[in-house]
């Protein structure tokens, strides 16, 4: 049972609130994880009566929650805790109204979830302070991206830090709430089998891919300003890289874990000058077919400039300058309108020192995050019949099958529960965000200085051909 609190969701009529946050809170309530005194208050500009908002929330929750998990009686009790407060988060006067509506805390912790445009983070924090709505127990949750550069991220962190102390700030990356992502730490630090080979003497290279078949959907206005680098590489992919590469923390505790992740980000070799052209690839999808259906080019998407040079694909060859990973390339790749939807981490091991049998291949560890969560280790074995013909066989851990009797938690359930419990292990610390931007900024600047335009690739493909060349000239290729 968590603490008694008010959970205030700014942007309460948006997709994130309706499709992710409210279903997650429903599940937590259904499993008796919420305190009896918890209130959930959605805030947005639409002038909706409370009953209309509850109906809106129910419609979206029914669509997002599996039928067997949606209980009518539970929903009635849960929705009784749900309220709606119409306000404009950019207007300071509306926060005075909010303060009067909320009244005195009376022992309740106030949690402010900013499911809004990043441009509203600082104004909302300042308005909350002026209205007297921030005390030492309050917490604020910020969605990515935190800024669009090191300078802007530092400015946001400074402004938020002037209102909330660092332990009160939860910078969320939903990828860190995925079961398989957390299994990375269990896989590495709870299995003596893998730890001795998790290093440059045994690992040839690492691939981290997050590929989507979707385009920009209704996010064209935001995405055209951000691009794949700021939207995905700076946060999701670098977070996954940190979990793959980090050293074992002294203990499984928030600051110890985050200390090790920051060390990795600071050990990333800067990509500058000519290296920007040699070790990075930008791409932008053009018209093509996905699932047999024609889809338009990026520059014809809603709210996207027709002459946009925003990248929808980026691939990077990164190197970590430390004892464990010196000389091992990390290939990072993300893109929209790709051939298939997948998020995966591939640890490619080196071949055996002496190849005794013809046709032998190197071992490979595949960690699949989506669409299915599973972990498999490719081993070489003898094919049935005469002779020593080898074939790869996968030792597979299918998490859905292994825990078939246990409902799989969604990422936001776990992360919201951590916020309620005050556990910041899976959230980004200020110096972590800024260290990531410090590595990203020179790449973006290098593209601008060298006029490196995005390479075209047809929707439904695996990205621009140049991304394959990034690995091919070293005798490697992308998995899948």
């Amino acid at each position: 049972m968590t603490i008694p609190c008010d959970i205030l969701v700014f942007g309460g009529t948006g997709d994130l609130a309706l499709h992710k946050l409210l279903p997650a809170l429903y599940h937590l309530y259904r499993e008796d994880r919420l305190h009896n005194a918890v209130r959930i208050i959605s805030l947005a500009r639409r002038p909706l009566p409370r009953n209309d908002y509850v109906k809106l929330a129910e419609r979206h929750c029914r669509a997002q929650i599996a039928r067997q998990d949606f209980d009518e009686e539970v929903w009635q009790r849960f929705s009784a805790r749900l309220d709606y407060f119409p306000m404009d988060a950019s207007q300071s006067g509306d926060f005075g109204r909010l303060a009067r509506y909320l009244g005195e805390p009376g022992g309740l912790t106030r949690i402010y979830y900013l499911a809004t445009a990043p441009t509203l983070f600082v104004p909302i924090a300042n308005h909350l302070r002026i209205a007297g709505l921030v005390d030492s127990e309050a917490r604020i949750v910020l969605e990515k991206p935190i800024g669009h550069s090191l300078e802007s991220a530092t400015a946001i962190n400074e402004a938020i830090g002037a209102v909330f102390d660092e332990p009160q700030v939860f910078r969320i990356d939903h990828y860190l709430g995925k079961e398989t992502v957390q299994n990375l730490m269990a896989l590495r630090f709870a299995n003596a089998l893998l730890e001795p080979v998790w290093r440059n003497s045994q690992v040839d290279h690492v691939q981290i891919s997050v590929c989507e078949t979707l385009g920009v959907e209704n996010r064209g206005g935001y995405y055209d300003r951000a691009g794949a680098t700021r939207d995905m590489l700076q946060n999701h992919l670098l977070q996954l890289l940190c979990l793959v590469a980090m050293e074992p923390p002294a203990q499984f505790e928030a600051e110890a874990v985050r200390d090790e992740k920051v060390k990795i980000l600071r050990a990333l070799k800067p990509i500058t000058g000519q290296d920007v052209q040699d070790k990075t690839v930008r791409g932008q999808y053009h018209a093509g077919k996905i699932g047999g259906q024609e889809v338009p080019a990026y520059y014809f998407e809603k709210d996207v400039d027709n002459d946009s040079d925003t990248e929808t694909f980026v691939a990077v060859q990164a190197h970590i300058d430390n004892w464990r990973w010196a000389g091992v390339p990390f290939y990072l790749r993300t893109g929209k309108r790709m051939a298939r939807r997948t998020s995966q981490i591939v640890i490619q091991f080196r071949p055996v020192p002496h190849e005794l049998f013809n046709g032998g291949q190197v071992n490979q560890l595949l960690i699949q995050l989506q669409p299915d969560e599973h972990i498999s280790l490719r081993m070489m074995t003898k094919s049935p019949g005469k002779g020593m013909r080898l074939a790869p066989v996968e030792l597979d851990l299918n998490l859905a099958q292994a825990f078939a009797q246990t409902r799989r938690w969604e990422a936001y359930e776990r992360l919201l529960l951590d916020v309620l419990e005050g556990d910041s292990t899976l959230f980004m610390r200020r110096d972590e965000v800024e260290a990531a931007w410090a590595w990203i900024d020179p790449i973006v600047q290098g593209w601008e200085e060298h006029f490196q335009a995005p390479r075209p690739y047809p929707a439904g493909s695996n990205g621009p051909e140049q991304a394959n060349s990034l690995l091919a000239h070293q005798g490697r290729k992308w998995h899948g």
Side-chain angles (χ1 to χ4, degrees), residues 319-358:
H319 288 269
I320 300 171
D321 282 344
N322 65 14
W323 280 90
R324 183 183 291 268
W325 297 112
V328 175
F330 284 70
Y331 298 102
L332 313 179
R333 171 180 64 162
T334 183
K336 289 190 173 294
R337 293 293 192 205
M338 302 283 279
R340 64 190 184 101
R341 173 177 176 256
T342 183
S343 295
Q344 62 184 17
I345 300 165
V346 179
I347 312 295
Q348 185 71 62
F349 294 101
R350 296 184 184 277
V352 293
H354 173 61
E355 188 173 323
L356 188 59
F357 309 109
N358 291 328

Side-chain angles (χ1 to χ4, degrees), residues 271-282 315 443 446-447 449-452 455 466 470:
I271 299 178
T272 59
Q274 184 62 38
D275 281 348
V276 173
Q277 299 185 64
D278 295 340
K279 295 184 177 180
T280 72
V281 177
R282 299 175 77 203
I443 297 175
W447 290 336
E449 291 171 2
H450 294 94
F451 305 102
Q452 191 168 330
R455 308 281 187 169
Q466 289 78 7
L470 197 65

Side-chain angles (χ1 to χ4, degrees), residues 292-327:
Q293 182 178 354
E294 292 281 353
V295 295
Y298 170 74
Y299 46 78
F300 285 142
E301 297 278 18
K302 181 182 176 183
D303 298 326
V304 171
D305 289 341
N306 290 344
D307 60 351
S308 174
D309 65 349
T310 298
E311 77 281 355
T312 61
F313 174 98
V314 62
V316 176
Q317 179 184 331
H319 288 269
I320 300 171
D321 282 344
N322 65 14
W323 280 90
R324 183 183 291 268
W325 297 112

Side-chain angles (χ1 to χ4, degrees), residues 16-31 40 54 56-72 74-76 78-79 82 407-410 412-413:
L16 175 60
L18 294 172
H19 294 171
K20 296 294 184 182
L21 302 184
L22 291 182
L25 289 167
Y26 164 85
H27 280 301
L28 293 176
Y29 178 80
R30 183 172 179 261
E31 299 194 6
I40 302 163
V54 171
L56 176 70
E58 180 178 358
R59 186 168 73 250
H60 284 277
C61 285
R62 281 183 182 273
Q64 300 298 320
I65 297 169
R67 182 173 298 178
Q68 68 270 19
D69 294 328
F70 192 93
D71 186 296
E72 299 285 350
V74 173
W75 174 261
Q76 292 306 316
F78 172 76
S79 63
L82 188 59
R407 186 184 68 83
R408 306 287 292 166
W409 280 40
E410 293 291 332
Y412 277 100
E413 292 176 51

Side-chain angles (χ1 to χ4, degrees), residues 251-279:
Q251 55 191 356
F252 190 66
E253 179 271 331
E255 295 312 308
V257 171
R258 299 199 291 184
D259 284 346
E260 297 303 332
K261 288 165 66 182
V262 171
K263 290 177 185 177
I264 291 297
L265 291 171
R266 290 176 175 166
L268 279 170
K269 185 177 180 180
I271 299 178
T272 59
Q274 184 62 38
D275 281 348
V276 173
Q277 299 185 64
D278 295 340
K279 295 184 177 180

Side-chain angles (χ1 to χ4, degrees), residues 76 81 114 130 144 163 187 277 284 316-317 359 364 370 385 420 429 462:
Q76 292 306 316
R81 300 177 178 278
L114 274 54
I130 293 169
K144 65 93 178 171
V163 180
L187 192 71
Q277 299 185 64
Q284 184 186 97
V316 176
Q317 179 184 331
Q364 185 183 80
Q370 64 182 21
L420 293 169
R429 204 167 58 192
N462 288 318

Side-chain angles (χ1 to χ4, degrees), residues 201-243:
S201 60
Q202 302 297 325
V203 174
D204 179 78
H205 72 278
V206 177
Q207 297 180 26
I208 301 175
S209 298
V210 179
C211 303
E212 303 174 273
T213 55
L214 293 175
V216 295
E217 304 302 294
N218 295 317
R219 301 168 67 233
Y222 155 75
Y223 195 90
D224 206 35
R225 295 189 301 273
T229 305
R230 295 183 173 99
D231 185 55
M232 296 292 290
L233 176 61
Q234 185 272 337
N235 38 76
H236 294 336
L237 273 73
L238 286 187
Q239 285 296 308
L240 295 177
L241 181 147
C242 286
L243 293 179

Side-chain angles (χ1 to χ4, degrees), residues 79-114:
S79 63
R81 300 177 178 278
L82 188 59
D83 206 351
Y84 182 74
F85 187 83
M87 64 174 291
D88 186 339
S90 66
Q91 301 298 314
S92 60
D94 281 5
F95 286 80
R97 288 196 304 110
L98 178 62
R100 292 190 293 273
Y101 162 77
L102 293 174
E104 292 298 319
L108 292 174
T109 296
R110 285 173 176 159
I111 296 173
Y112 303 107
Y113 198 115
L114 274 54

